[in-house]
Amino acid sequence: MEARPSEWVGDEHIADVQPHSQEYCAISSLLSRGLPALRINRIERVQKPEQWEKYIDRVKVMNKYHGGANETLLLHGTGEHPPHDVLKHGDGLDPRFSTGKGFYGRGTYLAESPAYPIAGRYVHHTKGKLQLVVVRAALGVSQNLGFRVDDDTREMTMPGQQPNNRDRHYDSVRAGPHRPYLSGPGSGSIGGDDPDSSIIHVVYQNNQMYPAYIVTFDMGGGDLGDGRSHKRAKNMSGNGGGVGGGAGRRGGG
C-alpha cells in the first residue's frame, strides 16, 4: 500500500478536490445515494501524513493478523463543531473525546447512508450549507449487534470478544439499521419506507480511521429526497432518537 496517496498534492493539510475529476465524482456519488436533491458545493481532501501513516500501519497489522482490514468509506457528522476544527487535533477523529452516551458506548459513530447524519442532529450547519466528513475506516471483523441496545452496550469502550477466539476482540461494532430522529430500528433501505435509517459502524481506536474528505453541500430546495424538509428533520432530532451520544466532540459520538 502506498506511503502517500497518489492524489495528494502539495504540502497543505487541506486541499480542494478538482470538480469533474474521478476522485470528485466518486465522493459526490457516495454523498448523493438516495438523495437526488443534494448538491455538492465543495470537496476538500485531508492530507495529514502522520495520521495517514498511523492508519496504514494499523491496516497492515489487520491484514496480516486479523483476517483483513475490511476498509470502506463511511460518513461522520461533527454536529455543532466545524469539521475543520475537529480535524485540527493531532489524532483526528478520536473516540476518547466521545461523550460516551451513545447506544454503543465511547466510540466514533460512522453511517453508511448520508441521509442518517443529514436528517439527524449530526450534520454540521454553516452559513446555510451542510458539512460531513468522509472517513476511510478499517472495520476488520465486526461484532454485529443488530438492534440490541441495553445498559451493557451503552457502557462499551471496545468491541466484545470473539466467541471462537477468546484471546481476540472484534475490531468494530456493526448495528442497526437505526433511525436518526426516532428511537427503535429502521428499514435501512434507500428509498424505502424509512429512507433516513442506516447501518451504523462504531470504531473505538482512532488509528482505524482516516478522515479523508470534508464535503460541503446543500439540499437544493430543502428536500431530503423523500419529501421531508431538512428543517423539519432537524426539529425532530431532539426527541431522543438516534444512535450517537452527540456527534463530533473531537470526533466522538
Side-chain angles (χ1 to χ4, degrees):
M1 188 173 293
E2 71 272 22
R4 173 187 172 106
S6 59
E7 62 267 20
W8 285 19
V9 294
D11 297 322
E12 297 87 357
H13 285 170
I14 302 292
D16 281 302
V17 178
Q18 294 302 310
H20 310 302
S21 67
Q22 184 176 358
E23 180 184 16
Y24 190 99
C25 292
I27 300 304
S28 297
S29 178
L30 177 70
L31 266 290
S32 301
R33 289 183 301 180
L35 296 173
L38 187 146
R39 299 186 305 195
I40 301 291
N41 304 128
R42 187 180 188 185
I43 299 177
E44 298 169 277
R45 185 191 311 110
V46 181
Q47 303 181 157
K48 295 198 171 183
E50 184 177 357
Q51 289 181 25
W52 174 255
E53 289 171 10
K54 290 178 180 178
Y55 172 74
I56 289 303
D57 286 345
R58 183 61 181 169
V59 167
K60 290 177 180 177
V61 169
M62 295 172 73
N63 279 330
K64 186 172 182 179
Y65 298 110
H66 293 209
N70 188 20
E71 290 185 89
T72 189
L73 293 177
L74 299 168
L75 300 159
H76 179 73
T78 57
E80 63 186 21
H81 303 278
H84 294 84
D85 289 351
V86 171
L87 299 184
K88 284 180 182 177
H89 188 265
D91 290 323
L93 297 178
D94 195 334
R96 292 176 298 178
F97 291 105
S98 168
T99 62
K101 297 178 181 178
F103 282 177
Y104 306 103
R106 190 176 295 276
T108 297
Y109 291 70
L110 308 170
E112 291 187 3
S113 170
Y116 181 91
I118 292 172
R121 63 188 182 274
Y122 310 114
V123 71
H124 177 67
H125 296 255
T126 176
K127 299 178 181 179
K129 307 296 184 183
L130 307 174
Q131 291 181 317
L132 288 173
V133 179
V134 176
V135 180
R136 185 167 170 174
L139 301 176
V141 180
S142 296
Q143 181 181 13
N144 193 343
L145 293 180
F147 300 122
R148 177 187 167 191
V149 179
D150 54 36
D151 290 344
D152 288 338
T153 66
R154 292 180 184 275
E155 295 296 323
M156 294 177 72
T157 57
M158 65 178 69
Q161 291 179 314
Q162 297 184 32
N164 58 346
N165 188 348
R166 303 299 293 179
D167 295 329
R168 178 166 293 169
H169 287 256
Y170 288 100
D171 299 303
S172 63
V173 161
R174 181 184 189 274
H178 287 293
R179 294 176 289 183
Y181 53 90
L182 292 173
S183 297
S187 67
S189 59
I190 293 177
D193 294 335
D194 196 13
D196 298 333
S197 63
S198 178
I199 294 293
I200 300 298
H201 299 271
V202 188
V203 177
Y204 299 85
Q205 295 187 57
N206 68 308
N207 62 355
Q208 283 181 232
M209 298 173 287
Y210 181 78
Y213 300 95
I214 299 170
V215 184
T216 303
F217 58 96
D218 62 60
M219 296 307 299
D223 196 299
L224 281 170
D226 63 346
R228 204 159 38 79
S229 70
H230 185 270
K231 182 177 180 180
R232 177 173 172 236
K234 183 181 177 185
N235 291 339
M236 292 174 69
S237 70
N239 67 359
V243 176
R249 286 168 177 79
R250 289 284 180 86

